Amino acid sequence: RRSLRPGPHRAASEPWGEWLYKGIALLLIGCPCALVLSTPAAITAGISAGARHGLLIKGGAALETIGAVRTIAFDKTGTLTDNRPRVTDLVPLAVLEPELLALAAAVETGSSHPLAKAILARAGTARVTVPTPQDAKALPGRAATALVAGRQLAVGSPRYAAEVTAAGALPPDVAVRVEALERDGKTVVALLEHTPAGGRVLGLLAIRDEPRPDARAAVADLGALGVRSLMLTGDNARTGAAIAGDLGLDVQAELMPEDKLRLIDTLRGAGSVAMVGDGINDAPALARADVGIAMGGGTDVALETANAALLRNTVTGVADLVRLSRATMRNIHQNVALALGLKAVFLITTLLGVTGLWMAILADTGATALVTANALRLLGFNPRRGHEPAPAPQEDGDAAASPARRREAVA
C-alpha cells in the first residue's frame, strides 16, 4: 500500500552547515554600515570643505536646505552695499550749509545708525562746531529727534517730513529736489524744526552707499544657478530701484522690519527661501527664513541667529554655498546608490551560491570604505573651479555706469 506520509522538505535534505553558512553571509550583506554612513560622512566632509573656503555652516540641515532654495532675499545696507555711506549733497533751504550740517550732526550725535555715522563723519571733515543735543530720541524707521540750542529738531525720511509738516506734504520745489536725488540712488534725509504751526524743512542731506564690487557678479552667478535674487530695503522706492537696477535684481522697498517678516512668509509659500543680512534689524527675518545667512562683518545678533555665515564677507559666497550644498546632496545620492547596489548584487549572488562568506565580508567592509572615500572627495571642493562668476550684463557707453558715476565723469 502506498504511504500517505509526505516526503521530507527539500531544505531538510540539504546539509545544515551549508544553510548556516549562507545565513551568516546574508547577515553580513544585510548589515547597513555603508548605508548608515552615506549621509553623515558626506555632510561632515561638506561642512569641512565649506570652512576651508570661509563658509561657516551650522549643521547638516542647513547644508541640505541651501541648495534647494528658490529665492534668496538680500538686505541692502551692509550686505549688497559697502556699509560705508557718505554724504554727497547738502541742500540748504532755510539755513546756511554749515548750520545745516552742524544741526543735523547734533541730532545724530551718539547714534550708531550708518546714515548717522555718515553725517557725523562729514561734519568732522568740514570741521563745523556741533552743538550739544538734549533729550535725543530715535523713532525706528522714521527719524531721530533732539533738542538743540532750544530748538526741537529732527532728522528723518522725506515721508516723515511730509507727515509732520502743516500741509501734510513737502513743498513742491522740495519734493522735486528729493525725487531727483533719489533717482540717482541716494538716500535723502530732511532736517526739520518742529514748531507750533507744524514741521518746517530746514534742509536736505543726500547720502549714498555704494554697492559692493562683487555684488553684481554674485547676483548674476545666482541667476545662472536658477535662483531668484530679491533686495529688501527700508529705503524709498526710487533709491531702491536705482540700486537694484545697477545690480540686476528685483526689489521691495520702504519695508519696516515687520514688513520683511510678512514678505518672507509670502515667499515661503512659493518655495524655500534664504535670507542674507548683517544687522540687528535683520535677525527676525534671518530666523523666519528657511535658511538665514549672515555676513561675516555683521552684528553678533545676526551671526548668532543665522544658520550659515560668510566669513570672508563677500556676497559671492552665497552662490558658493548653493554649489556646495548641491555637490553634497549629489554625493549623498551617490553613496546611497552605491551602498544599496552592492548589497543587492551580493544578496542575489549569495542566494544563487555564486559568492560565499568572504565575498560577503568584502561587500560589507568594501561598501563602507567606498562610501567613505566618495564622501571624502568633497574635501577637494572648490566653488570657483569651472564656475567663474557669470559676467554681469553690460550696457553700451555711459549706460553701464550708475547715475552718480556718470555725473562724476561729466564733471
Side-chain angles (χ1 to χ4, degrees):
R1 179 184 295 181
R2 172 183 281 182
S3 173
L4 298 178
R5 291 186 306 166
H9 194 274
R10 186 178 187 280
S13 65
E14 295 287 342
W16 284 104
E18 180 178 342
W19 284 106
L20 182 62
Y21 186 86
K22 288 183 177 180
I24 295 174
L26 291 174
L27 183 63
L28 285 170
I29 292 171
C31 181
C33 294
L35 187 61
V36 169
L37 284 175
S38 296
T39 298
I43 292 293
T44 303
I47 292 175
S48 299
R52 291 183 175 185
H53 294 281
L55 310 174
L56 177 62
I57 306 166
K58 302 178 183 178
L63 180 58
E64 292 180 21
T65 306
I66 292 170
V69 297
R70 301 182 61 181
T71 302
I72 296 183
F74 292 88
D75 174 53
K76 178 178 76 74
T77 304
T79 302
L80 291 174
T81 64
D82 277 329
N83 202 22
R84 290 196 293 266
R86 59 186 181 87
V87 177
T88 58
D89 300 88
L90 294 171
V91 184
L93 299 174
V95 293
L96 297 177
E97 185 174 300
E99 185 180 5
L100 169 63
L101 185 57
L103 293 177
V107 175
E108 298 287 11
T109 297
S111 174
S112 59
H113 194 281
L115 299 186
K117 292 180 179 180
I119 294 173
L120 292 169
R122 178 63 179 267
T125 303
R127 296 183 179 180
V128 297
T129 302
V130 179
T132 302
Q134 296 178 339
D135 195 24
K137 297 178 183 177
L139 306 177
R142 304 181 68 204
T145 65
L147 185 65
V148 181
R151 305 164 71 180
Q152 187 65 44
L153 302 178
V155 175
S157 65
R159 183 169 54 181
Y160 172 79
E163 291 173 358
V164 299
T165 55
L170 293 174
D173 58 328
V174 176
V176 169
R177 304 192 78 166
V178 168
E179 184 176 347
L181 291 168
E182 289 178 346
R183 275 200 299 265
D184 283 345
K186 298 175 182 179
T187 301
V188 180
V189 294
L191 175 65
L192 304 137
E193 180 177 8
H194 289 284
T195 65
R200 183 168 69 108
V201 181
L202 303 180
L204 305 173
L205 298 91
I207 303 168
R208 182 172 173 92
D209 190 6
E210 295 293 337
R212 290 176 182 267
D214 63 333
R216 194 174 187 186
V219 171
D221 214 5
L222 286 171
L225 293 170
V227 180
R228 177 195 177 203
S229 298
L230 175 66
M231 184 176 78
L232 309 183
T233 177
D235 222 329
N236 65 84
R238 281 186 290 267
T239 299
I243 294 177
D246 284 347
L247 299 180
L249 75 167
D250 299 327
V251 61
Q252 290 284 341
E254 300 182 5
L255 299 176
M256 301 293 286
E258 56 271 22
D259 297 328
K260 293 183 181 180
L261 289 179
R262 285 194 290 269
L263 185 58
I264 291 292
D265 287 336
T266 301
L267 292 172
R268 291 182 69 186
S272 298
V273 178
M275 173 70 190
V276 187
D278 73 316
I280 295 175
N281 290 339
D282 299 326
L286 291 172
R288 184 68 61 89
D290 294 290
V291 180
I293 304 171
M295 301 299 292
T299 62
D300 292 342
V301 174
L303 290 168
E304 181 67 25
T305 305
N307 306 107
L310 308 178
L311 300 184
R312 293 182 181 174
N313 209 33
T314 58
V315 191
T316 51
V318 179
D320 295 342
L321 276 173
V322 174
R323 288 196 185 94
L324 176 59
S325 173
R326 293 180 180 179
T328 302
M329 293 308 297
R330 282 196 301 271
N331 192 281
I332 290 174
H333 295 155
Q334 292 167 2
N335 285 347
V336 171
L338 185 62
L340 292 179
L342 281 175
K343 297 290 185 181
V345 168
F346 280 93
L347 173 64
I348 295 172
T349 57
T350 301
L351 288 174
L352 295 176
V354 177
T355 55
L357 183 61
W358 288 109
M359 292 302 295
I361 294 173
L362 180 62
D364 179 47
T365 58
T368 303
L370 287 175
V371 163
T372 304
N374 187 50
L376 290 177
R377 291 191 308 112
L378 285 171
L379 295 177
F381 172 81
N382 183 354
R384 298 292 101 192
R385 184 188 301 140
H387 295 285
E388 292 302 321
Q394 296 294 327
E395 301 175 19
D396 295 332
D398 289 340
S402 67
R405 294 190 183 278
R406 289 200 300 271
R407 188 175 57 257
E408 292 172 3
V410 172

